[in-house]
């Protein structure tokens, strides 16, 4: 439902069973874009669970009001992937016939639950992506998450994650002074198994 976004990922929106990772430079608007997507998804008649590990529910409410979002997506704060997927399954059962989306801000705030003490390792995010991908493929759901990035906006996670996702989008502000798009926000799709 967001024309420029739909165009960038192939023209018809997100494909059921797909998983998208969004990366980009700090301050480029990744969270804002995910919130706008959540609102647009619900406006198009689907169900969207926006799960935040970066902000409190109150902060999400404040940003949603500032952005003028009115379609009423579901907001959660699940940190265990199993609880996030249970939440999404509950929404799936309660909304039969509707496409269910999970939007996660962000990947590094999730715990796959492997360690009883809540400890994490460099492979925690890999296992979390595997769980999210399995859910999407099994239930024809759609998952999009903000991936780990360095201060320069480069992907900071394991390469296994890049191979697991179907779509990778990158959001950044063009800082090349000689560029025709200098100072503009750019959304670039660098991987898309189902797009153009």
């Amino acid at each position: 439902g967001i024309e420029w976004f739909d165009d960038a990922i192939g023209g018809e929106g997100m494909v059921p069973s797909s998983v998208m990772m969004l990366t980009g430079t700090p301050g480029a608007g990744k969270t804002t874009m995910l919130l706008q997507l959540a609102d647009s998804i619900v406006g198009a008649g689907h169900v969207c669970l926006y799960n935040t590990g970066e902000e409190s529910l109150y902060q999400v409410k404040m940003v949603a009001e500032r952005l003028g979002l009115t379609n009423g997506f579901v907001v959660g704060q699940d940190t265990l992937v199993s609880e996030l997927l249970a939440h999404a399954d509950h929404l799936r059962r309660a909304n039969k016939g509707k496409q269910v989306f999970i939007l996660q801000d962000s990947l590094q705030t999730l715990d796959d639950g492997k360690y009883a003490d809540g400890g994490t390792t460099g492979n925690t995010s890999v296992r979390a992506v595997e769980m999210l991908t399995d859910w999407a493929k099994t239930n024809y759901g759609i998952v999009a998450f903000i991936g780990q990035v360095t201060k320069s906006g480069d992907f900071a996670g394991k390469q296994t994650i890049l191979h697991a996702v179907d779509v990778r989008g990158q959001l950044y502000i063009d800082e090349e002074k000689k560029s025709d798009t200098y100072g503009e926000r750019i959304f670039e799709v660098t991987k898309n198994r189902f797009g153009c």
Side-chain angles (χ1 to χ4, degrees):
I2 299 175
E3 188 176 344
W4 61 264
F5 180 85
D6 291 343
D7 286 348
I9 60 172
E12 296 183 25
M14 297 179 81
V15 176
S17 302
S18 65
V19 177
M20 175 183 194
M21 177 173 66
L22 176 65
T23 57
T25 54
K30 297 180 297 292
T31 296
T32 299
M33 186 173 114
L34 221 57
L35 285 165
Q36 290 171 322
L37 280 173
D39 190 63
S40 183
I41 286 164
V42 174
H46 308 294
V47 176
C48 184
L49 170 56
Y50 180 90
N51 194 64
T52 179
E54 297 286 343
E55 290 91 18
S56 72
L57 297 177
Y58 183 79
Q59 289 168 320
V60 171
K61 178 181 182 292
M62 284 178 51
V63 174
E65 288 173 351
R66 177 178 55 82
L67 294 172
L69 307 181
T70 59
N71 289 319
F73 52 89
V74 178
V75 181
Q77 275 192 307
D78 298 308
T79 56
L80 282 172
V81 179
S82 58
E83 292 176 359
L84 170 60
L85 298 179
H87 195 170
D89 283 336
H90 170 77
L91 292 171
R92 235 176 16 89
R93 286 189 298 275
N95 296 278
K96 291 192 185 304
K98 290 194 173 191
Q99 182 67 60
V100 176
F101 290 71
I102 297 173
L103 303 186
Q104 173 64 36
D105 186 7
S106 62
L107 179 61
Q108 64 263 26
T109 64
L110 288 177
D111 180 354
D112 67 325
K114 181 174 175 90
Y115 302 106
D117 66 356
T120 60
T121 67
N123 285 322
T124 300
S125 292
V126 172
R127 291 188 298 269
V129 169
E130 288 170 352
M131 294 169 76
L132 292 169
T133 300
D134 287 346
W135 180 86
K137 306 298 182 203
T138 301
N139 299 295
Y140 307 105
I142 297 173
V143 175
F145 63 86
I146 295 175
Q148 300 160 293
V149 293
T150 64
K151 288 184 180 182
S152 63
D154 296 322
F155 176 64
K158 303 238 180 197
Q159 291 299 307
T160 309
I161 294 171
L162 285 176
H163 296 298
V165 299
D166 301 304
V167 181
R168 180 185 177 199
Q170 189 158 351
L171 191 64
Y172 62 95
I173 297 171
D174 186 353
E175 295 180 357
E176 181 60 46
K177 291 188 178 183
K178 293 183 180 183
S179 171
D180 290 340
T181 56
Y182 172 68
E184 293 182 20
R185 187 170 281 116
I186 307 290
F187 178 62
E188 178 180 46
V189 175
T190 58
K191 176 183 180 180
N192 191 348
R193 286 195 176 117
F194 310 113
C196 53

